[in-house]
Protein backbone atom coordinates (compact mmCIF):
# COMPACT_ATOMS: atom_id res chain seq x y z
CA UNK A 1 0.00 0.00 0.00
CA UNK A 2 1.65 3.21 -1.20
CA UNK A 3 0.92 6.91 -0.80
CA UNK A 4 0.75 6.99 3.00
CA UNK A 5 3.45 9.68 3.15
CA UNK A 6 1.03 12.25 1.69
CA UNK A 7 -1.82 11.46 4.10
CA UNK A 8 -2.34 13.78 7.03
CA UNK A 9 -1.65 12.19 10.44
CA UNK A 10 -5.03 13.43 11.72
CA UNK A 11 -6.90 11.39 9.12
CA UNK A 12 -4.79 8.34 9.93
CA UNK A 13 -5.59 8.81 13.62
CA UNK A 14 -9.31 8.92 12.83
CA UNK A 15 -9.06 5.72 10.80
CA UNK A 16 -7.19 3.99 13.63
CA UNK A 17 -9.93 4.99 16.09
CA UNK A 18 -12.58 3.28 13.92
CA UNK A 19 -10.33 0.25 13.30
CA UNK A 20 -9.81 -0.26 17.02
CA UNK A 21 -13.42 0.36 18.07
CA UNK A 22 -14.92 -1.37 15.01
CA UNK A 23 -17.81 1.01 15.57
CA UNK A 24 -18.18 4.36 13.80
CA UNK A 25 -20.45 6.00 16.39
CA UNK A 26 -18.24 5.14 19.37
CA UNK A 27 -15.09 6.21 17.46
CA UNK A 28 -16.71 9.54 16.51
CA UNK A 29 -17.67 10.17 20.14
CA UNK A 30 -14.15 9.46 21.38
CA UNK A 31 -12.74 11.83 18.74
CA UNK A 32 -15.41 14.45 19.50
CA UNK A 33 -16.45 14.77 15.86
CA UNK A 34 -19.66 13.89 14.06
CA UNK A 35 -20.25 10.35 12.80
CA UNK A 36 -21.00 11.75 9.35
CA UNK A 37 -17.67 13.59 9.19
CA UNK A 38 -15.82 10.45 10.27
CA UNK A 39 -17.61 8.32 7.65
CA UNK A 40 -16.80 10.80 4.87
CA UNK A 41 -13.14 10.86 5.97
CA UNK A 42 -12.88 7.06 5.75
CA UNK A 43 -14.61 7.02 2.33
CA UNK A 44 -12.19 9.70 1.04
CA UNK A 45 -9.26 7.70 2.43
CA UNK A 46 -10.42 4.57 0.61
CA UNK A 47 -10.72 6.51 -2.65
CA UNK A 48 -7.27 8.03 -2.20
CA UNK A 49 -5.64 4.66 -1.52
CA UNK A 50 -7.73 2.76 -4.06
CA UNK A 51 -8.69 -0.02 -1.61
CA UNK A 52 -11.55 -0.95 0.69
CA UNK A 53 -10.58 -0.63 4.34
CA UNK A 54 -13.80 -1.99 5.86
CA UNK A 55 -15.97 -4.85 4.61
CA UNK A 56 -19.02 -3.22 2.91
CA UNK A 57 -22.28 -3.85 4.79
CA UNK A 58 -20.67 -5.98 7.49
CA UNK A 59 -22.38 -5.92 10.88
CA UNK A 60 -20.55 -5.48 13.16
CA UNK A 61 -17.90 -3.42 11.36
CA UNK A 62 -14.99 -5.51 10.05
CA UNK A 63 -11.59 -4.61 8.60
CA UNK A 64 -10.54 -5.92 5.21
CA UNK A 65 -7.03 -7.30 4.70
CA UNK A 66 -5.94 -3.93 3.38
CA UNK A 67 -7.55 -2.26 6.39
CA UNK A 68 -5.59 -4.47 8.78
CA UNK A 69 -2.38 -3.63 6.90
CA UNK A 70 -3.15 0.08 7.10
CA UNK A 71 -3.89 -0.21 10.83
CA UNK A 72 -0.37 -1.54 11.47
CA UNK A 73 1.35 1.04 9.29
CA UNK A 74 -0.79 3.98 10.43
CA UNK A 75 -0.17 3.13 14.09
CA UNK A 76 3.59 3.23 13.45
CA UNK A 77 3.34 6.58 11.63
CA UNK A 78 1.28 8.11 14.45
CA UNK A 79 3.70 6.83 17.11
CA UNK A 80 6.66 8.31 15.22
CA UNK A 81 4.88 11.66 14.90
CA UNK A 82 4.07 11.75 18.62
CA UNK A 83 7.66 10.83 19.50
CA UNK A 84 9.01 13.64 17.33
CA UNK A 85 6.63 16.11 18.96
CA UNK A 86 7.93 15.14 22.40
CA UNK A 87 11.55 15.85 21.48
CA UNK A 88 12.89 19.07 23.05
CA UNK A 89 13.34 21.84 20.49
CA UNK A 90 16.83 22.26 19.11
CA UNK A 91 18.28 25.56 20.39
CA UNK A 92 18.54 28.19 17.69
CA UNK A 93 22.06 29.29 16.80
CA UNK A 94 23.07 32.73 15.53
CA UNK A 95 26.55 32.86 14.00
CA UNK A 96 28.12 36.31 14.18
CA UNK A 97 31.49 37.11 12.65
CA UNK A 98 33.77 39.95 13.63
CA UNK A 99 36.89 41.43 12.08
CA UNK A 100 40.11 42.35 13.91
CA UNK A 101 39.76 45.29 16.27
CA UNK A 102 36.05 44.79 17.03
CA UNK A 103 35.24 43.90 20.64
CA UNK A 104 32.03 41.90 20.95
CA UNK A 105 32.07 40.90 24.62
CA UNK A 106 29.48 43.44 25.77
CA UNK A 107 26.91 42.41 23.15
CA UNK A 108 27.59 38.73 23.80
CA UNK A 109 26.86 39.15 27.51
CA UNK A 110 23.61 41.01 26.84
CA UNK A 111 22.53 38.32 24.36
CA UNK A 112 23.22 35.50 26.86
CA UNK A 113 21.19 37.32 29.53
CA UNK A 114 18.28 38.18 27.24
CA UNK A 115 18.10 35.04 25.06
CA UNK A 116 19.46 32.16 27.18
CA UNK A 117 17.75 29.56 24.97
CA UNK A 118 19.47 30.73 21.78
CA UNK A 119 23.17 30.13 21.23
CA UNK A 120 25.37 32.97 20.00
CA UNK A 121 28.39 31.62 18.12
CA UNK A 122 31.12 34.24 17.64
CA UNK A 123 33.50 33.65 14.74
CA UNK A 124 36.72 35.63 14.28
CA UNK A 125 37.31 36.54 10.62
CA UNK A 126 39.99 38.33 8.67
CA UNK A 127 38.85 41.54 7.04
CA UNK A 128 39.58 40.02 3.61
CA UNK A 129 37.08 37.26 4.43
CA UNK A 130 34.23 39.37 5.85
CA UNK A 131 32.08 39.52 2.70
CA UNK A 132 32.84 35.97 1.57
CA UNK A 133 31.73 34.62 4.95
CA UNK A 134 28.47 36.59 4.76
CA UNK A 135 27.55 35.73 1.20
CA UNK A 136 28.48 32.05 1.53
CA UNK A 137 26.37 31.63 4.67
CA UNK A 138 29.31 30.77 6.93
CA UNK A 139 28.04 33.49 9.28
CA UNK A 140 24.56 34.98 9.62
CA UNK A 141 25.84 38.47 10.48
CA UNK A 142 29.20 40.16 10.72
CA UNK A 143 30.79 43.20 12.30
CA UNK A 144 32.53 44.58 9.22
CA UNK A 145 34.92 47.40 8.49
CA UNK A 146 33.48 49.53 5.71
CA UNK A 147 33.35 49.83 2.76
CA UNK A 148 31.67 46.64 1.56
CA UNK A 149 29.74 45.72 -1.58
CA UNK A 150 26.20 46.75 -0.60
CA UNK A 151 24.39 44.64 -3.23
CA UNK A 152 21.90 42.45 -1.37
CA UNK A 153 23.26 43.55 2.00
CA UNK A 154 21.71 45.33 4.95
CA UNK A 155 24.15 47.24 7.13
CA UNK A 156 23.87 49.53 10.13
CA UNK A 157 26.82 51.85 10.87
CA UNK A 158 27.81 51.65 14.53
CA UNK A 159 30.79 53.89 15.15
CA UNK A 160 33.82 55.54 13.57
CA UNK A 161 37.40 54.83 14.53
CA UNK A 162 40.05 57.50 14.95
CA UNK A 163 43.25 56.77 13.00
CA UNK A 164 46.47 56.82 15.00
CA UNK A 165 50.15 56.88 14.15
CA UNK A 166 52.23 54.18 15.82
CA UNK A 167 55.90 54.94 16.59
CA UNK A 168 58.53 53.69 18.98
CA UNK A 169 58.32 55.12 22.49
CA UNK A 170 61.58 57.02 21.97
CA UNK A 171 60.33 58.72 18.79
CA UNK A 172 59.91 62.54 18.91
CA UNK A 173 56.23 62.26 17.99
CA UNK A 174 55.53 60.25 21.14
CA UNK A 175 55.75 63.42 23.30
CA UNK A 176 52.66 64.97 21.68
CA UNK A 177 48.99 64.32 22.53
CA UNK A 178 47.91 64.61 18.90
CA UNK A 179 49.64 65.05 15.55
CA UNK A 180 48.70 66.02 12.01
CA UNK A 181 49.56 64.46 8.68
CA UNK A 182 52.10 67.24 8.08
CA UNK A 183 54.05 66.02 11.10
CA UNK A 184 54.30 62.55 9.59
CA UNK A 185 55.25 63.70 6.09
CA UNK A 186 58.94 62.97 6.49
CA UNK A 187 58.49 59.59 8.18
CA UNK A 188 59.04 56.21 6.58
CA UNK A 189 55.55 54.72 6.73
CA UNK A 190 55.14 50.96 6.94
CA UNK A 191 52.50 49.53 4.59
CA UNK A 192 49.28 48.92 6.54
CA UNK A 193 46.91 48.63 3.58
CA UNK A 194 46.36 44.96 4.50
CA UNK A 195 44.47 45.27 7.77
CA UNK A 196 45.00 41.59 8.48
CA UNK A 197 48.79 42.07 8.42
CA UNK A 198 48.94 45.10 10.73
CA UNK A 199 50.68 43.07 13.43
CA UNK A 200 53.63 42.40 11.11
CA UNK A 201 53.80 46.07 10.10
CA UNK A 202 54.00 47.15 13.75
CA UNK A 203 56.75 44.62 14.38
CA UNK A 204 58.71 46.36 11.61
CA UNK A 205 58.15 49.71 13.30
CA UNK A 206 59.49 48.30 16.56
CA UNK A 207 62.50 46.74 14.86
CA UNK A 208 63.43 49.27 12.15
CA UNK A 209 61.73 52.50 13.20
CA UNK A 210 59.51 54.68 11.05
CA UNK A 211 55.77 54.85 11.64
CA UNK A 212 52.48 53.17 10.77
CA UNK A 213 48.96 54.58 10.47
CA UNK A 214 46.24 52.22 11.67
CA UNK A 215 42.73 52.37 13.17
CA UNK A 216 42.83 52.96 16.92
CA UNK A 217 41.37 49.54 17.79
CA UNK A 218 44.15 47.74 15.90
CA UNK A 219 46.82 49.77 17.67
CA UNK A 220 45.32 48.61 20.96
CA UNK A 221 44.97 45.02 19.70
CA UNK A 222 48.68 44.83 18.77
CA UNK A 223 49.97 46.98 21.64
CA UNK A 224 53.61 46.54 22.63
CA UNK A 225 55.55 48.09 25.48
CA UNK A 226 58.13 49.50 23.06
CA UNK A 227 55.51 51.21 20.87
CA UNK A 228 53.17 54.14 21.45
CA UNK A 229 50.40 55.68 19.37
CA UNK A 230 48.94 59.15 18.98
CA UNK A 231 45.66 60.21 17.31
CA UNK A 232 45.91 61.99 13.96
CA UNK A 233 43.76 65.12 13.79
CA UNK A 234 43.31 65.40 10.03
CA UNK A 235 43.27 61.79 8.70
CA UNK A 236 40.02 60.12 7.55
CA UNK A 237 38.18 57.89 10.00
CA UNK A 238 37.27 54.28 9.39
CA UNK A 239 33.78 52.94 10.10
CA UNK A 240 32.48 49.77 11.73
CA UNK A 241 29.02 48.39 10.86
CA UNK A 242 26.92 45.29 11.51
CA UNK A 243 25.93 43.69 8.19
CA UNK A 244 23.93 40.70 6.96
CA UNK A 245 22.35 39.43 3.69
CA UNK A 246 18.96 41.14 3.39
CA UNK A 247 17.19 38.01 2.15
CA UNK A 248 18.31 36.14 5.27
CA UNK A 249 16.81 38.60 7.76
CA UNK A 250 15.40 36.34 10.50
CA UNK A 251 13.90 36.94 13.94
CA UNK A 252 17.28 36.07 15.47
CA UNK A 253 19.01 38.62 13.24
CA UNK A 254 16.51 41.31 14.24
CA UNK A 255 16.92 40.40 17.90
CA UNK A 256 20.70 40.79 17.65
CA UNK A 257 20.29 44.13 15.86
CA UNK A 258 18.19 45.23 18.83
CA UNK A 259 20.95 44.21 21.24
CA UNK A 260 23.63 46.06 19.27
CA UNK A 261 21.52 49.20 18.96
CA UNK A 262 20.80 49.26 22.68
CA UNK A 263 17.13 48.38 22.43
CA UNK A 264 15.66 47.52 25.82
CA UNK A 265 13.95 44.23 26.63
CA UNK A 266 10.51 45.88 26.49
CA UNK A 267 11.11 47.70 23.23
CA UNK A 268 9.23 46.39 20.21
CA UNK A 269 11.31 44.89 17.46
CA UNK A 270 11.89 47.25 14.54
CA UNK A 271 11.25 45.32 11.35
CA UNK A 272 14.29 45.21 9.07
CA UNK A 273 13.31 42.30 6.88
CA UNK A 274 13.53 43.15 3.21
CA UNK A 275 15.10 46.53 3.84
CA UNK A 276 18.60 47.42 2.76
CA UNK A 277 19.86 50.06 5.16
CA UNK A 278 22.26 52.50 3.60
CA UNK A 279 25.73 52.29 5.03
CA UNK A 280 26.43 55.77 3.80
CA UNK A 281 23.41 57.52 5.25
CA UNK A 282 22.91 59.16 8.61
CA UNK A 283 22.91 56.93 11.62
CA UNK A 284 20.26 57.33 14.29
CA UNK A 285 21.14 59.62 17.19
CA UNK A 286 22.58 57.45 19.89
CA UNK A 287 24.26 57.76 23.24
CA UNK A 288 27.99 57.56 23.35
CA UNK A 289 29.43 54.23 24.32
CA UNK A 290 31.88 54.91 27.17
CA UNK A 291 34.02 51.96 26.06
CA UNK A 292 34.38 53.44 22.61
CA UNK A 293 35.11 57.06 23.53
CA UNK A 294 38.85 56.62 23.51
CA UNK A 295 39.02 55.10 20.07
CA UNK A 296 35.89 55.99 18.14
CA UNK A 297 33.69 58.90 17.20
CA UNK A 298 30.35 59.03 15.44
CA UNK A 299 31.07 62.31 13.66
CA UNK A 300 34.23 64.17 12.67
CA UNK A 301 35.49 66.09 15.68
CA UNK A 302 36.50 69.71 15.50
CA UNK A 303 40.10 69.98 14.39
CA UNK A 304 42.56 70.60 17.19
CA UNK A 305 45.97 72.16 16.74
CA UNK A 306 48.46 69.43 15.89
CA UNK A 307 51.62 68.66 17.81
CA UNK A 308 50.23 69.54 21.21
CA UNK A 309 52.91 68.67 23.72
CA UNK A 310 52.02 66.40 26.59
CA UNK A 311 51.95 68.09 29.97
Amino acid sequence: MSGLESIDVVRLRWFVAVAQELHFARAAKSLRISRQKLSHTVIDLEKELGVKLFVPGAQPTQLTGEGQELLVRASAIIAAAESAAEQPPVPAVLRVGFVPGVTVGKWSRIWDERFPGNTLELIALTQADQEVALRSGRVDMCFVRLPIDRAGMSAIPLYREVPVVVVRTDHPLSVFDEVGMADIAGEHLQDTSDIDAVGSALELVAAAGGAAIVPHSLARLHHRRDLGYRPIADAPDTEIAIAWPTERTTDLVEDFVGVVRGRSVRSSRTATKGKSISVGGKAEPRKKNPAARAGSRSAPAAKKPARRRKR
Side-chain angles (χ1 to χ4, degrees):
M1 189 180 301
S2 60
L4 290 184
E5 297 79 7
S6 63
I7 296 176
D8 182 65
V9 174
V10 173
R11 291 199 293 158
L12 291 178
R13 188 175 284 113
W14 290 3
F15 161 75
V16 169
V18 179
Q20 291 175 338
E21 290 282 352
L22 291 178
H23 196 285
F24 276 83
R26 287 199 299 268
K29 185 177 180 180
S30 67
L31 294 170
R32 298 183 179 180
I33 60 175
S34 69
R35 185 188 186 287
Q36 184 179 21
K37 185 174 183 178
L38 182 57
S39 297
H40 287 163
T41 297
V42 171
I43 292 171
D44 291 341
L45 195 58
E46 289 179 327
K47 290 179 180 178
E48 189 171 336
L49 296 174
V51 296
K52 286 293 183 181
L53 300 175
F54 296 94
V55 178
Q59 292 293 333
T61 303
Q62 297 179 25
L63 284 167
T64 63
E66 291 84 355
Q68 292 173 351
E69 179 186 349
L70 178 60
L71 175 60
V72 173
R73 295 181 61 184
S75 298
I77 292 172
I78 293 168
E82 291 175 347
S83 177
E86 292 173 358
Q87 295 297 321
V90 178
V93 178
L94 181 67
R95 299 161 302 163
V96 178
F98 61 97
V99 295
V102 177
T103 304
V104 295
K106 172 187 174 182
W107 295 311
S108 175
R109 288 192 297 273
I110 295 174
W111 178 271
D112 290 342
E113 293 169 1
R114 196 172 295 181
F115 304 101
N118 297 327
T119 302
L120 180 65
E121 183 179 350
L122 298 173
I123 301 172
L125 299 171
T126 63
Q127 182 162 322
D129 204 25
Q130 60 183 10
E131 285 192 56
V132 175
L134 278 171
R135 296 188 185 278
S136 66
R138 186 156 27 114
V139 296
D140 304 302
M141 311 179 76
C142 188
F143 290 94
V144 298
R145 185 169 276 107
L146 299 178
I148 61 171
D149 179 3
R150 290 167 50 187
M153 287 284 182
S154 293
I156 299 176
L158 300 177
Y159 59 89
R160 293 181 177 275
E161 287 194 87
V162 175
V164 299
V165 59
V166 182
V167 294
R168 293 200 299 206
T169 52
D170 59 357
H171 193 285
L173 290 179
S174 66
V175 301
F176 298 100
D177 288 332
E178 187 177 72
V179 300
M181 289 301 295
D183 301 311
I184 311 170
E187 297 291 337
H188 172 67
L189 292 178
Q190 300 293 345
D191 182 10
T192 55
S193 57
D194 183 357
I195 291 294
D196 300 318
V198 161
S200 298
L202 298 189
E203 287 181 7
L204 286 175
V205 172
I213 299 175
V214 299
H216 182 262
S217 64
L218 294 181
R220 287 186 300 171
L221 178 65
H222 299 286
H223 177 66
R224 298 168 51 116
R225 302 183 85 178
D226 54 353
L227 294 178
Y229 53 85
R230 297 291 179 264
I232 307 173
D234 52 358
D237 296 341
T238 56
E239 191 166 21
I240 300 297
I242 182 73
W244 68 95
T246 303
E247 65 178 10
R248 296 204 294 271
T249 302
T250 63
D251 288 346
L252 284 182
V253 167
E254 292 182 348
D255 286 336
F256 192 73
V257 168
V259 168
V260 172
R261 301 185 84 172
R263 197 176 300 148
S264 68
V265 177
R266 296 182 180 180
S267 298
S268 59
R269 179 188 294 140
T270 301
T272 54
K273 193 168 186 177
K275 295 181 181 179
S276 181
I277 302 171
S278 171
V279 297
K282 279 189 175 181
E284 288 185 358
R286 55 184 179 274
K287 295 181 180 179
K288 287 187 177 180
N289 180 352
R293 284 176 182 166
S296 64
R297 57 187 177 214
S298 58
K303 293 295 186 292
K304 298 178 181 178
R307 296 181 62 84
R308 187 173 59 189
R309 184 177 295 275
K310 295 174 73 176
R311 295 181 178 83

